[in-house]
């Protein structure tokens, strides 16, 4: 027997300049009794008034619209009235870059617009419904960048590993933009479609002091560089080199944070693990393995998480030494690296 629908459905406002797309999205979302479409707006100015009048729980937002593009509207919205926003984009190179920027500005998720035949529409429609309901459980807030932290007496051969999911793009921009150019190597797993990770790394590289690249198998890791796991491939470390893998998903994901953390655990006290905002429990057991091996382990605190899922699971597993607000994490990460040097 299926579970009964909640007393209060998720109330959704659709913002898209195409009347046919608004109608399609309405039909797809309305097929779920746990979702109520409260309106559709053809452009941001109308959306602004409808948000005030209807107070929706979630916004679906197109990227390219007349008058004001979706990113400009999103930036204003997250600054003045933070709320869960799901971007509907096309998975082209341009669409991927724009989607990454939307995530940096605070969008909860970016999904492809439903297209194709009956089977594809059914698949994409279910993904849209699931994404909207998940977005309703998040707590977006206006971005608050961390202050840059100067390097001082850092360990030259230590390693930083970071795992994140929902809300992680914004968090990673905040952290990496505050770390110094000569920071120890950083390995990053962010749950993200394969179409987005190259653009994500490129965007981070342009905005952050250190070099940021999409990881390539066999690359020798070096200080001052952050390596982003490619979408759809596990990333680990082997003898100082990046090791990518097409092995089955771990903890339901590929790339998996658990996979990364377990591969780093072998470094013992020379490693620092960081678990950031995200749904689920990926990374909890891997971070515990790191802590058991002597690594420093940090978590993002509940107050600054978009979704306090992965950090909560890691805390409950006894994997996190200390939790910090997102803005305090860059300093905590560097302090951990300095502590590693003092203790050796």
């Amino acid at each position: 027997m299926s579970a009964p629908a909640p007393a209060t459905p998720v109330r959704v406002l659709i913002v898209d300049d195409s009347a046919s797309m608004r109608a399609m999205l309405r039909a797809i979302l309305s097929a779920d009794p746990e979702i109520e479409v409260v309106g559709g707006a053809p452009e941001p100015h109308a959306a602004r008034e409808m948000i005030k009048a209807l107070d929706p729980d979630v916004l679906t937002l197109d990227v390219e619209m007349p008058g004001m593009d979706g990113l400009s509207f999103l930036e204003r919205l997250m600054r003045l009235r933070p709320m869960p926003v799901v971007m509907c984009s096309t998975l082209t190179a341009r669409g991927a870059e724009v989607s990454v920027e939307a995530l940096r500005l605070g969008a909860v998720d970016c999904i492809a617009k439903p297209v194709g035949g009956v089977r594809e529409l059914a698949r994409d429609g279910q993904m849209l419904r699931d994404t909207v309901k998940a977005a309703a459980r998040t707590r977006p807030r206006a971005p608050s960048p961390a202050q840059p932290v100067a390097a001082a007496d850092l360990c030259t051969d230590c390693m930083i590993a970071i795992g994140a999911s929902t809300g992680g793009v914004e968090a990673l921009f905040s952290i990496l933009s505050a770390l110094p150019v000569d920071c120890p190597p950083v390995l990053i797993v962010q749950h993200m479609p394969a179409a987005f990770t190259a653009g994500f790394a490129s965007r981070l590289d342009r905005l952050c002091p250190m070099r940021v690249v999409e990881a390539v198998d066999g690359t020798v890791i070096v200080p001052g560089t952050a390596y982003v796991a490619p979408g759809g491939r596990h990333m680990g470390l082997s003898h100082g080199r990046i090791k990518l893998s097409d092995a089955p998903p771990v903890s339901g994901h590929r790339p998996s944070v658990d996979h990364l953390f377990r591969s780093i655990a072998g470094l013992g006290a020379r490693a620092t693990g960081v678990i950031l905002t995200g749904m689920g429990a990926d990374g909890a057991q891997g971070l515990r393995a790191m802590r058991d091996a002597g690594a420093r382990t940090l978590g993002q605190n509940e107050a600054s998480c978009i979704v306090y899922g992965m950090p909560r699971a890691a805390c409950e597993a006894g994997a996190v030494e200390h939790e910090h607000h997102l803005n305090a994490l860059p300093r905590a990460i560097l302090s951990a690296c300095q502590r590693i040097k003092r203790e050796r």
Side-chain angles (χ1 to χ4, degrees):
M1 180 180 295
S2 61
T8 305
V10 176
R11 304 174 75 252
V12 181
L13 176 64
I14 299 167
V15 185
D16 197 296
D17 66 326
S18 166
S20 61
M21 182 56 67
R22 290 198 305 274
M24 178 185 291
L25 293 176
R26 177 185 289 272
I28 288 172
L29 292 171
S30 298
D32 191 322
E34 297 182 4
I35 298 173
E36 177 189 358
V37 178
V38 297
E43 44 83 24
H45 296 291
R48 182 177 57 189
E49 299 305 315
M50 294 181 78
I51 290 171
K52 294 178 184 177
L54 300 171
D55 191 27
D57 300 314
V58 177
L59 202 71
T60 68
L61 181 61
D62 189 15
V63 172
E64 296 183 357
M65 294 177 290
M68 181 189 300
D69 66 87
L71 290 182
S72 298
F73 179 60
L74 176 66
E75 189 278 330
R76 292 188 185 185
L77 182 67
M78 298 308 295
R79 179 164 39 88
L80 301 174
R81 191 193 185 284
M83 65 178 296
V85 176
V86 174
M87 303 297 293
C88 288
S89 177
T90 52
L91 291 181
T92 61
R94 164 66 178 163
E97 184 174 341
V98 170
S99 296
V100 168
E101 178 64 5
L103 292 169
R104 186 185 74 85
L105 292 173
V108 173
D109 210 338
C110 294
I111 65 172
K113 287 185 175 181
V115 294
V118 174
R119 181 176 299 179
E120 290 78 14
L121 284 175
R123 178 201 62 205
D124 293 347
Q126 188 59 54
M127 182 179 296
L128 175 61
R129 290 188 289 268
D130 291 344
T131 301
V132 163
K133 289 190 290 186
R137 300 193 295 268
T138 66
R139 299 172 299 174
R141 57 187 57 84
S144 177
Q147 295 299 311
V149 181
D153 195 31
L154 293 175
C155 176
T156 57
D157 62 346
C158 60
M159 174 73 54
I160 300 165
I162 304 178
S165 187
T166 308
V169 170
E170 178 187 343
L172 285 164
F173 270 101
S174 179
I175 290 172
L176 292 188
S177 64
L179 294 178
V181 67
D182 54 350
C183 183
V186 181
L187 270 61
I188 298 168
V189 166
Q190 163 69 50
H191 296 161
M192 179 178 282
F196 290 177
T197 46
F200 176 45
S202 177
R203 186 71 173 159
L204 281 168
D205 186 56
R206 292 196 295 271
L207 297 179
C208 301
M210 62 191 312
R211 180 171 175 253
V212 184
V213 298
E214 186 179 42
V216 175
D217 189 52
T219 301
V220 176
I221 60 169
V222 294
T225 303
Y227 304 86
V228 177
R233 305 199 73 189
H234 289 307
M235 179 174 71
L237 186 68
S238 178
H239 304 292
R241 294 177 180 269
I242 296 289
K243 182 173 178 58
L244 300 181
S245 166
D246 296 322
V250 176
S251 302
H253 297 278
R254 191 175 65 202
S256 164
V257 182
D258 270 324
H259 181 95
L260 171 64
F261 285 170
R262 286 188 178 115
S263 80
I264 298 296
L267 295 178
R270 291 193 292 125
T272 296
V274 185
I275 190 82
L276 301 179
T277 174
M279 295 181 185
D282 187 24
Q285 296 307 314
L287 195 66
R288 179 57 194 259
M290 289 184 66
R291 185 175 186 183
D292 289 346
R296 305 276 74 82
T297 57
L298 309 173
Q300 185 177 352
N301 70 0
E302 184 173 6
S304 63
C305 280
I306 299 298
V307 181
Y308 186 60
M310 287 162 52
R312 181 196 298 276
C315 279
E316 292 175 350
V320 177
E321 285 185 287
H322 302 288
E323 282 193 324
H324 298 272
H325 190 282
L326 176 61
N327 290 350
L329 271 171
R331 188 173 299 278
I333 291 168
L334 293 188
S335 294
C337 294
Q338 292 164 356
R339 182 179 167 190
I340 289 170
K341 184 170 184 176
R342 289 196 301 270
E343 292 180 351
R344 294 182 62 190

